[in-house]
Amino acid sequence: MVTLRGLSSMATRGVLTALTAEGDLGLGHLEVESAGGVEVARRLRAGGQADVVVLASDAIEALARDGVLDGQTVLPLLRSDVVVGVPQGAPVPDISSVESLTAALLASRRIGYSTGPSGSALQALVGAWGLDEQLADRWVQAPPGVPVARLLADGAADLGFQQRSELAAAPGVTVAGRMPPGAEIITIFTGAVATASEHPAEALAVLTLLAAPAAHGVIRRHALEPAT
């Protein structure tokens, strides 16, 4: 059986590692490398080799428009919600409503966020709430490939926002909860076959297995939900 190369964002690293290690799923021939989503897209546009690519849906769509990925193979795989975290041992703020979340933001000295879709969505929310100026000097963006959890654990941020799959089991972090009603941030991660793949049929078969019901239990154990 041919070995397939996969590229994914950091948010899906854990679940993809677990899925490929699950012998009964037939995914053992997929080897996945994970990096920040921006970095993965850069590599692919620069000619980086891959068979299967898993990224946030907007990144996959952009790469398909540019001909880097085969748009006919795009398949929704995973759904992830953004949660709020604080350093372990710190007081856990009330984030049960938009009002209490904005109060927590205004009370924070350093707010950690990612370079990925969750960070962009958070910035859009803050702008809609009219808090841009008040929070302008408090943002701490995690470098590509570095989880917001590390900012929290290292004391570089006292409030952080990222995909549940990256914060839920991170050492040194307490999850305060999901974004409140009216401020939910949901990311759909999709997969596609790279147009330069030498094994497109096998790569599409792998994507189909990743989306199959047999994978759902592993997906949920990694703080994600099946997209289908």
Side-chain angles (χ1 to χ4, degrees), residues 12-27:
T12 59
R13 176 177 58 176
V15 68
L16 291 174
T17 298
L19 287 167
T20 56
E22 184 63 58
D24 292 344
L25 297 180
L27 293 166

Side-chain angles (χ1 to χ4, degrees), residues 105-191:
L105 284 163
L106 290 168
S108 299
R109 294 173 296 120
R110 293 159 300 180
I111 305 165
Y113 72 111
S114 78
T115 57
S118 63
S120 298
L122 177 64
Q123 295 280 297
L125 279 175
V126 166
W129 295 334
L131 299 177
D132 281 337
E133 283 191 28
Q134 290 167 279
L135 300 179
D137 60 352
R138 307 187 196 186
W139 296 109
V140 182
Q141 188 177 52
V146 175
V148 172
R150 188 179 302 174
L151 299 180
L152 293 169
D154 291 348
D158 47 30
L159 194 69
F161 297 77
Q162 200 163 36
Q163 309 291 346
R164 183 185 296 273
S165 59
E166 295 194 71
L167 282 185
V173 174
T174 298
V175 174
R178 65 185 304 169
M179 299 287 283
E184 299 95 336
I185 298 175
I186 305 295
T187 300
I188 302 298
F189 290 93
T190 57

Side-chain angles (χ1 to χ4, degrees), residues 7-13 15-16 35-38 40 53-61 74-82 114 116-119 162-166 185-192 207 210-211 219 222-228:
L7 284 176
S8 83
S9 62
M10 297 298 291
T12 59
R13 176 177 58 176
V15 68
L16 291 174
V38 173
V40 170
V53 180
V54 179
L55 294 171
S57 59
D58 57 346
I60 291 286
E61 290 166 7
V74 174
L75 189 63
L77 300 175
L78 308 161
R79 181 165 54 86
S80 176
D81 63 330
V82 167
S114 78
S118 63
Q162 200 163 36
Q163 309 291 346
R164 183 185 296 273
S165 59
E166 295 194 71
I185 298 175
I186 305 295
T187 300
I188 302 298
F189 290 93
T190 57
L207 283 177
L210 289 173
I219 290 169
H222 285 78
L224 294 156
E225 287 293 325
T228 53

